[in-house]
């Protein structure tokens, strides 16, 4: 009898958990739908001047950041080479999107690094500050099951207003806080090209943005660890420095 009660208690807890998750998700969808088109603009600390020159007005925005004990150049390279496909959760979210929208599985063999991966999907570089920031962009119809990303020449970005599309820009950015520390930032902005695309994207973003946001948030921890590992490996060890100094001293000719 006690075993039966235990099983029933576990089942009730699971049911309560599922109900709470469903309620929370429904509340998120409703709030996101209501707030759509009222994106908060960045404060002075998060302001991205480069990004503002291309998309100062937008309908949705997502910002994430993490402090990293590594030089900005190393952080940006590590961010560019992130392997999103190596995350079980990220792969699960991508698979969930395929099933929800009825997409055909992508059987194309793609590169592992983030920038190489998204470039193979159709994204393009809109602007770049070497060692500091990269701005990627594409026009797309994300509500389609088999989504296609299309990048045009950068000088055509502002003038693109073809109906039934969304313009999306996102950044990888590393701001130095000192010689061995930096703040990594990533920001995504999107704007639709007409009322019809706005309605479709509003519905898409309200229901599916939790997975998109989760992928970005979960990538911060591994990026921090990888960038800090690369920074440690790039520093000469004290022993090696001492040996090099001693060898240099011995190699100096003595004048008698």
């Amino acid at each position: 009898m006690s075993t039966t009660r235990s099983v029933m208690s576990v089942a009730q807890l699971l049911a309560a958990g599922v109900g709470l998750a469903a309620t929370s998700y429904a509340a998120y969808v409703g709030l996101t739908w209501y707030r759509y088109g009222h994106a908060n603009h960045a404060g002075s600390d998060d302001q991205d001047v480069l990004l503002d020159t291309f998309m100062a007005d937008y309908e949705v925005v997502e910002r994430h950041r993490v402090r990293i004990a590594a030089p900005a150049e190393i952080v940006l390279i590590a961010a560019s080479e992130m392997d999103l496909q190596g995350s079980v959760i990220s792969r699960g979210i991508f698979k969930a999107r395929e099933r929800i929208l009825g997409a055909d599985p992508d059987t194309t063999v793609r590169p592992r690094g983030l920038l190489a991966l998204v470039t193979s999907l159709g994204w393009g570089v809109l602007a770049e500050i070497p060692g500091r920031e990269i701005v990627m962009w594409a026009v797309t119809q994300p509500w389609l099951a088999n989504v296609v990303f299309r990048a045009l020449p950068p000088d055509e970005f502002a003038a693109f207003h073809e109906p039934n599309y969304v313009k999306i820009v996102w950044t990888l950015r590393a701001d130095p806080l000192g010689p061995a520390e930096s703040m990594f930032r990533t920001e995504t902005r999107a704007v639709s090209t007409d009322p019809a695309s706005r309605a479709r994207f509003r519905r898409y973003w309200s229901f599916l943005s939790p997975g998109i946001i989760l992928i970005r948030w979960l990538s911060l921890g591994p990026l921090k660890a990888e960038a800090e590992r690369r920074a440690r490996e790039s520093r000469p060890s004290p022993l090696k420095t001492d040996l090099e100094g001693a060898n240099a001293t011995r190699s100096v000719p003595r004048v008698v």
Side-chain angles (χ1 to χ4, degrees):
M1 182 66 70
S2 59
T3 301
T4 302
R5 283 198 298 268
S6 298
V7 171
M8 291 179 63
S9 297
V10 171
Q12 290 171 348
L13 288 173
L14 289 174
V18 171
L20 178 61
T23 302
S24 300
Y25 178 72
Y28 171 89
V29 170
L31 181 61
T32 304
W33 177 278
Y34 174 76
R35 294 178 59 187
Y36 184 90
H38 302 282
N40 293 326
H41 284 68
S44 58
D45 187 45
D46 284 324
Q47 185 178 10
D48 193 314
V49 177
L50 180 60
L51 198 53
D52 285 343
T53 61
F54 295 103
M55 190 182 289
D57 297 314
Y58 37 89
E59 293 164 12
V60 298
V61 62
E62 278 297 325
R63 301 182 182 97
H64 303 274
R65 65 178 180 173
V66 62
R67 196 181 186 107
I68 300 178
E73 295 82 358
I74 291 179
V75 171
L76 192 62
I77 292 173
S80 301
E81 298 175 351
M82 281 191 295
D83 182 12
L84 294 183
Q85 300 176 86
S87 167
V88 175
I89 296 177
S90 295
R91 291 200 305 272
I93 292 172
F94 291 137
K95 287 293 183 183
R97 182 196 181 280
E98 287 181 358
R99 292 175 181 174
I100 291 172
L101 297 181
D104 299 326
D106 183 4
T107 58
T108 305
V109 178
R110 301 195 181 277
R112 309 291 292 187
L114 175 60
L115 288 191
L117 170 64
V118 298
T119 300
S120 76
L121 292 170
W123 292 85
V125 177
L126 183 59
E128 181 176 6
I129 301 176
R132 293 292 181 268
E133 183 172 8
I134 298 173
V135 181
M136 303 296 293
W137 88 289
V139 297
T140 185
Q141 298 169 311
W143 51 83
L144 296 180
N146 299 304
V147 62
V148 175
F149 300 101
R150 177 161 59 101
L152 301 175
D155 58 357
E156 297 180 20
F157 176 82
F160 182 87
H161 293 294
E162 186 176 333
N164 207 30
Y165 277 94
V166 174
K167 297 197 293 187
I168 303 175
V169 293
W170 55 271
T171 65
L172 300 175
R173 172 181 163 195
D175 296 328
L177 301 177
E181 191 171 26
S182 57
M183 181 70 75
F184 171 76
R185 292 179 169 88
T186 178
E187 181 171 346
T188 302
R189 300 179 184 180
V191 63
S192 54
T193 57
D194 68 328
S197 61
R198 178 185 174 97
R200 291 187 178 96
F201 187 59
R202 184 181 191 180
R203 182 167 56 249
Y204 172 89
W205 185 255
S206 298
F207 281 93
L208 293 181
S209 62
I212 299 170
I213 296 169
L214 182 60
I215 289 174
R216 284 164 171 70
W217 182 76
L218 290 175
S219 69
L220 296 180
L223 169 61
K224 176 180 172 67
E226 174 62 15
E228 291 180 350
R229 181 191 68 79
R230 295 187 185 196
R232 288 193 301 270
E233 291 183 353
S234 69
R235 301 187 195 111
S237 67
L239 177 59
K240 181 179 179 181
T241 303
D242 292 344
L243 288 175
E244 289 177 347
N247 291 335
T249 302
R250 284 196 296 270
S251 65
V252 176
R254 175 178 295 181
V255 178
V256 178

